[in-house]
Amino acid sequence: MGAQLFLGLLLLLGSLQQPPDCKKCRDTGFVPCPEEARHACSGAATLRCSIAARCALCVGTHQVPCPKCKHESGPEYAAAQAANRAFLEELKPIEAPFARPLAHAKSAHFLLTYDIPALKVAGGETLHGGLHLYLERMERVFARFQSDVGAQEADFSAPTHVLLWSRKEDQQKASAVFARQSSDTEAKLMGRAPVVTIFYDKAWLHDEPELHQAVVHQVTHCLLSNVWDGIWPGNIHGGWIDEGLSHAYELAQFGSVRHYCYVEADTILDLNHGAWEPLVRAAVDDGKAPGFMGVAGKNTTDLTPEDQLFAWSYVDFVLRAHKAQFGPLARAIKAKKPLKDALAEALQISPFQFEDLWRVFVQENYSLKEKKKR
Ligand SMILES: [Zn+2]
Ligand SMILES: [Zn+2]
Ligand SMILES: [Zn+2]
Ligand SMILES: [Zn+2]
């Protein structure tokens, strides 16, 4: 046995035998907040949580100075509490229109305002649980998006603010105040500081997975609009990439599409649910697919439900066959370059070549029969 190891063992034994001066806190100076059972936060994504921050005893630090040995809590503890108090201050303008305290949590890339008392999903049974569950899910969308477009942290100008409601009146208020439009269902504000507000209306988003799906779809719109330049591609003839990517994430995660966005009317049409691959494949086989340039020249609001199928498929093709070029292509489109130039720059191909390659991709990769849920 090496001398060092032996010495180490001796020291370890010594420390094991020596009882801490304060048994209550094991000399850490802190014990769990007596209210912890009421405000324990779940998930790793959360940086701040209003439910915990409103605790009068710990101010969201989840611990209090040990009452037995009366350690000085020190400047770090005070700073953590001050940061949580500042967070609560920042929330005041958000809560003002609702005249009641709401639940909010902040992660690296999102602020979530969450007002759904209970969801039928593991972890979402309580308001506090659902708050953290959805924040985690949103960060997962961010991670996927960041990897797909190859963006850096500094490429995002602001976190996305997501608001989820269980009451129509709150959705109406939030849409008017934060998204500057009227809406009973979903409303969003694209660009430099994106916002999306969604009413969990069971007549429309029938069960919890559909709410999840709506959040994935809309958060994707927000992130794409924010990255690099704060420019929403949906109204500069980049509707296909805007709607296509949101559909791609829905299909990849849920195996079916539930959402069509018509930005102005804010209407969601329930059409062509289920897998889209067989529909696109059949259209290509039958020579009935619309021209690429026609679909790819439209704004999001001008895409017909059928167009959206192909918008999705073009994005799917780039993401699967030329993944590293998806980010540069999206960036060129957001920089308002003509599609011909954007394709030449990112993929070194012409629009006609794109269409030919896409058609081959569809015939090689899409089956005519509906696949099982991925
Ligand atoms: Zn919490
Ligand atoms: Zn506490
Ligand atoms: Zn102690
Ligand atoms: Zn959409």
Side-chain angles (χ1 to χ4, degrees), residues 217-218 221 243 246 261:
H217 183 111
Q218 302 299 4
H221 279 306
E243 209 56 61
S246 286
C261 297

Side-chain angles (χ1 to χ4, degrees), residues 88-341:
L88 293 176
E89 279 302 307
E90 285 167 32
L91 300 174
K92 283 187 176 165
I94 298 169
E95 297 187 337
F98 305 92
R100 68 182 199 274
L102 296 165
H104 317 259
K106 188 166 132 176
S107 61
H109 311 102
F110 297 93
L111 172 64
L112 173 61
T113 298
Y114 183 85
D115 199 49
I116 303 175
L119 282 175
K120 282 186 187 157
V121 59
E125 299 89 345
T126 62
L127 179 90
H128 194 188
L131 172 71
H132 289 291
L133 175 68
Y134 268 82
L135 195 66
E136 293 281 319
R137 288 171 163 183
M138 284 152 39
E139 281 294 339
R140 283 204 282 274
V141 178
F142 181 90
R144 176 174 208 146
F145 175 80
Q146 188 178 24
S147 146
D148 282 347
V149 302
Q152 306 297 309
E153 287 291 330
D155 292 328
F156 297 88
S157 56
T160 294
H161 186 191
V162 178
L163 304 100
L164 302 179
W165 305 102
S166 55
R167 299 197 315 207
K168 192 194 268 185
E169 313 86 81
D170 293 326
Q171 167 67 14
Q172 290 165 335
K173 226 176 260 179
S175 306
V177 176
F178 304 113
R180 298 180 216 145
Q181 56 188 283
S182 71
S183 160
D184 291 348
T185 53
E186 301 181 331
K188 56 191 183 289
L189 189 69
M190 304 280 86
R192 295 206 169 272
V195 178
V196 55
T197 173
I198 300 175
F199 168 39
Y200 181 36
D201 177 0
K202 287 181 193 134
W204 161 59
L205 295 171
H206 310 88
D207 46 25
E208 194 280 330
E210 277 190 57
L211 173 67
H212 185 189
Q213 203 159 338
V215 168
V216 168
H217 183 111
Q218 302 299 4
V219 161
T220 304
H221 279 306
C222 290
L223 296 175
L224 182 62
S225 79
N226 185 257
V227 70
W228 302 307
D229 47 28
I231 293 172
W232 178 47
N235 62 353
I236 54 166
H237 306 289
W240 69 281
I241 210 155
D242 175 48
E243 209 56 61
L245 187 66
S246 286
H247 288 316
Y249 283 9
E250 268 195 273
L251 277 162
Q253 200 169 339
F254 302 94
S256 69
V257 167
R258 305 293 307 192
H259 279 78
Y260 292 102
C261 297
Y262 285 81
V263 175
E264 298 303 327
D266 186 34
T267 311
I268 283 80
L269 301 176
D270 281 341
L271 287 173
N272 280 329
H273 282 173
W276 280 6
E277 288 189 8
L279 298 168
V280 172
R281 171 72 195 273
V284 168
D285 284 359
D286 300 344
K288 288 182 179 159
F292 169 62
M293 285 302 272
V295 175
K298 289 184 181 183
N299 286 337
T300 295
T301 45
D302 299 327
L303 292 171
T304 65
E306 199 206 16
D307 288 338
Q308 305 219 14
L309 226 70
F310 294 92
W312 158 74
S313 183
Y314 304 146
V315 168
D316 185 49
F317 160 58
V318 181
L319 277 178
R320 283 164 66 182
H322 305 278
K323 189 172 175 188
Q325 277 69 52
F326 181 76
L329 178 62
R331 192 168 188 168
I333 290 168
K334 283 174 56 111
K336 303 184 185 175
K337 295 187 179 165
L339 185 58
K340 186 166 73 67
D341 300 348

Side-chain angles (χ1 to χ4, degrees), residues 39-41 49 51-52 128 131-132:
H39 64 52
C41 298
C49 167
I51 292 174
H128 194 188
L131 172 71
H132 289 291

Side-chain angles (χ1 to χ4, degrees), residues 346-359:
L347 289 153
Q348 290 81 48
I349 54 176
S350 71
F352 290 109
Q353 286 170 310
F354 183 97
E355 195 160 6
D356 285 344
L357 292 169
W358 165 75
R359 222 179 274 120

Side-chain angles (χ1 to χ4, degrees), residues 357-373:
L357 292 169
W358 165 75
R359 222 179 274 120
V360 171
F361 168 84
V362 167
Q363 291 186 312
E364 282 177 356
N365 292 282
Y366 291 5
S367 99
L368 274 165
K369 280 193 194 138
E370 190 156 329
K371 268 191 254 168
K372 281 198 177 147
K373 215 174 169 179

